[in-house]
Amino acid sequence: MKIFLDTADVTEIREANDMGLIDGVTTNPSLIAKTGRPFREVVAEICSIVNGPISAETTATDARGMQAEGEELARIHPNVTVKIPMTPEGLKATRALSKKGIKTNVTLVFQPLQGLLAAKCGATFVSPFIGRLDDVSAEGMSMVRDLLRMLQNYRYPTEVIVASVRHPIHVAQAALAGAHVVTIPGKVLKQLTQHPLTDIGLAKFLEDAKKIPR
Ligand code: E4P
């Protein structure tokens, strides 16, 4: 399973990238706004840090506008993946960009058929948001399982990015379901590396190592 970092914070991205675990990055307008920096500048800097797909989201709401924005974003760097909201206009833009060989990530997917339609329009990635579904008492992961099954049934090459991840259990469930990618906040990446028994075990080994005669 590929791991993308779900943030626009370049310090966090550099730190995670140094661990050698990051295969790509996803951003959205809310994450970019948090940085207080210009959109294109942040996207270009992320592309200079991580060598993998970097999702940058369009903000137009009509297909022609999304397509124009997407073409401009794709010129920033070959790794830019144009993130497009799952709307009828978004699907038109996805089709148009994919015909031009521009990578796309259809976002804000909350039910499997939305993902199937995105795949049919040639989306490179589709992003089901599981945490936001869990927040409203629906089971986010069951949507991911159904979507994976649908894409496999018809052998679509579209990759599923499990998004809106809140904790390590979501990551484990994504891996068990066979998701292609999981995109996670820096906090969850750190949590994945930790276990209290690892810390206790290491402290004991280091203490005992001091007793070994030289
Ligand atoms: C995915 O690409 C989105 O940026 C993200 O996962 C949204 O997550 P949130 O529900 O925590 O905002």
Side-chain angles (χ1 to χ4, degrees):
M1 185 170 64
K2 282 175 263 190
I3 297 179
F4 290 0
L5 208 60
D6 194 28
T7 182
D9 178 334
V10 291
T11 309
E12 192 171 57
I13 293 171
R14 277 183 211 285
E15 257 177 48
N17 194 52
D18 285 348
M19 290 169 72
L21 284 170
I22 301 305
D23 302 298
V25 174
T26 52
T27 68
N28 62 41
S30 311
L31 293 171
I32 301 261
K34 273 195 212 166
T35 68
R37 296 174 57 198
F39 179 58
R40 278 164 189 72
E41 182 186 295
V42 177
V43 173
E45 189 170 348
I46 297 173
C47 290
S48 74
I49 303 169
V50 175
N51 183 19
I54 310 299
S55 289
E57 192 157 341
T58 56
T59 49
T61 51
D62 64 302
R64 287 168 83 97
M66 289 179 197
Q67 190 185 335
E69 248 184 272
E71 285 171 12
E72 203 196 320
L73 288 171
R75 280 195 283 273
I76 296 177
H77 192 279
N79 283 344
V80 167
T81 299
V82 181
K83 207 173 183 190
I84 298 176
M86 173 59 220
T87 60
E89 289 297 298
L91 290 177
K92 282 189 218 166
T94 302
R95 171 73 75 199
L97 291 169
S98 108
K99 272 191 186 157
K100 293 196 162 194
I102 295 175
K103 291 187 289 297
T104 53
N105 173 3
V106 174
T107 187
L108 291 167
V109 164
F110 291 95
Q111 53 110 334
L113 289 172
Q114 290 180 312
L116 183 70
L117 297 188
K120 212 169 155 48
C121 286
T124 317
F125 299 102
V126 59
S127 292
F129 277 34
I130 60 169
R132 293 191 194 187
L133 274 178
D134 289 358
D135 289 345
V136 294
S137 306
E139 207 215 323
M141 274 315 296
S142 79
M143 166 190 50
V144 170
R145 284 189 285 270
D146 288 350
L147 174 56
L148 284 167
R149 179 79 185 272
M150 286 178 187
L151 299 187
Q152 277 154 15
N153 283 349
Y154 300 101
R155 295 188 166 78
Y156 281 115
T158 304
E159 295 194 12
V160 172
I161 304 179
V162 174
S164 186
V165 164
R166 305 265 198 259
H167 46 67
I169 294 172
H170 278 154
V171 180
Q173 288 172 329
L176 287 169
H180 306 87
V181 188
V182 69
T183 187
I184 57 177
K187 179 183 153 224
V188 174
L189 179 67
K190 280 198 188 107
Q191 288 173 325
L192 292 181
T193 66
Q194 294 165 347
H195 195 286
L197 290 178
T198 305
D199 299 339
I200 293 168
L202 179 60
K204 175 80 176 124
F205 285 155
L206 292 179
E207 195 185 304
D208 289 345
K210 289 181 201 152
K211 300 174 195 160
I212 302 171
R214 289 176 189 256

